[in-house]
């Protein structure tokens, strides 16, 4: 997309948002303002990821898009001002977890670290949200975390081993392809 078209689209979006604010269709302050900014950044990064063969921008775009949805839902579903800190922090970590999972999937399982980050951020954000919504008790969470924290080391070690095996297979395959093309070039000479 060239700069002129991107500028036109940005002005259209800004104009519609400001018109909706002027007509009191929604409040463009506080969480709503940050949700709109996050939504625009997320859509921009997702557009970049779609056009990029390496899918660069998919992680950030997904995070900002999910964070915007989170802020819109929190802002419209509750009349709490400001957003309670545990809900906000739990939402951020949960959005980071889902964004890492999406990035892992769109890169065709090439980045195993993103899978670990999905579990890591998901455990943090999910536990904060479960404590906030009183699904589990704080003391129950403390007991679970203090007993099972070595599971993170086990998962991280397994992911590193799997990633090293995958990288080794890729290097062997590249070496085979390079040696076969050099052998073909030598037979042509």
């Amino acid at each position: 997309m060239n700069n002129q078209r991107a500028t036109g689209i940005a002005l259209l979006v800004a104009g519609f948002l400001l018109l909706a604010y002027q007509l009191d269709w929604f409040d463009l302050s506080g969480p709503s303002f940050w949700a709109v900014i996050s939504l625009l950044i997320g859509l921009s990064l997702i557009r970049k990821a779609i056009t990029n063969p390496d899918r660069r921008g998919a992680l950030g775009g997904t995070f900002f898009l999910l964070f915007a949805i989170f802020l819109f839902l929190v802002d419209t579903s509750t009349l709490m001002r400001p957003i309670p800190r545990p809900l906000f922090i739990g939402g951020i970590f949960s959005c980071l977890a889902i964004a890492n999972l999406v990035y892992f999937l769109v890169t065709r399982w090439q980045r195993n670290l993103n899978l670990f980050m999905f579990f890591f951020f998901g455990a943090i954000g999910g536990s904060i949200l479960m404590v906030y919504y009183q699904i589990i008790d704080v003391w129950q969470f403390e007991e679970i975390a203090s007993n099972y924290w070595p599971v993170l080391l086990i998962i991280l070690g397994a992911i590193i081993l799997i990633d090293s095996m995958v990288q080794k297979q890729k290097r062997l395959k590249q070496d085979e392809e390079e040696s076969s093309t050099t052998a073909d070039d030598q037979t042509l000479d």
Side-chain angles (χ1 to χ4, degrees):
M1 182 181 306
N2 62 20
N3 287 337
Q4 186 177 5
R5 194 166 15 154
T7 304
I9 290 172
L11 288 173
L12 280 172
V13 169
F16 280 122
L17 289 173
L18 290 173
L19 178 64
Y21 172 69
Q22 294 289 19
L23 296 174
D24 288 330
W25 289 351
F26 72 94
D27 183 27
L28 194 58
S29 63
S32 296
F33 174 75
W34 292 111
V36 169
I37 297 296
S38 181
L39 179 71
L40 294 174
I41 292 170
L43 291 174
S44 171
L45 289 172
I46 294 240
R47 182 193 61 80
K48 178 183 174 187
I50 290 172
T51 59
N52 191 326
D54 294 335
R55 301 295 181 234
R56 297 195 188 270
L59 178 67
T62 305
F63 168 74
F64 281 110
L65 195 61
L66 290 171
F67 188 62
I69 292 169
F70 168 75
L71 287 177
F72 278 128
L73 289 176
V74 169
D75 191 33
T76 58
S77 67
T78 61
L79 298 175
M80 297 180 275
R81 299 265 193 233
I83 297 172
R85 185 172 290 161
L87 180 62
F88 184 74
I89 292 172
I92 286 177
F93 279 112
S94 297
C95 291
L96 279 170
I98 296 170
N100 273 286
L101 179 64
V102 168
Y103 187 68
F104 175 73
L105 294 174
V106 299
T107 58
R108 295 187 180 97
W109 303 14
Q110 293 177 358
R111 299 282 314 233
N112 291 327
L113 178 63
N114 292 107
L115 186 61
F116 172 75
M117 298 311 284
F118 163 69
F119 287 115
F120 182 73
F121 289 138
I124 294 172
S127 60
I128 291 172
L129 291 176
M130 286 191 293
V131 168
Y132 177 78
Y133 285 114
Q134 298 175 350
I135 296 171
I136 62 173
D137 187 31
V138 173
W139 302 111
Q140 182 183 9
F141 170 72
E142 191 272 333
E143 181 182 330
I144 292 170
S146 67
N147 285 335
Y148 294 105
W149 69 267
V151 171
L152 289 175
L153 296 176
I154 294 168
I155 292 172
L156 182 60
I159 288 174
I160 289 172
L161 286 175
I162 291 170
D163 193 43
S164 69
M165 289 188 307
V166 168
Q167 296 301 325
K168 183 178 180 180
Q169 291 294 329
K170 285 181 184 178
R171 282 193 303 272
L172 290 174
K173 188 176 180 180
Q174 281 179 337
D175 290 344
E176 281 181 17
E177 289 174 358
E178 288 175 5
S179 65
S180 67
T181 55
T182 8
D184 290 340
D185 290 342
Q186 289 176 354
T187 56
L188 292 176
D189 290 337

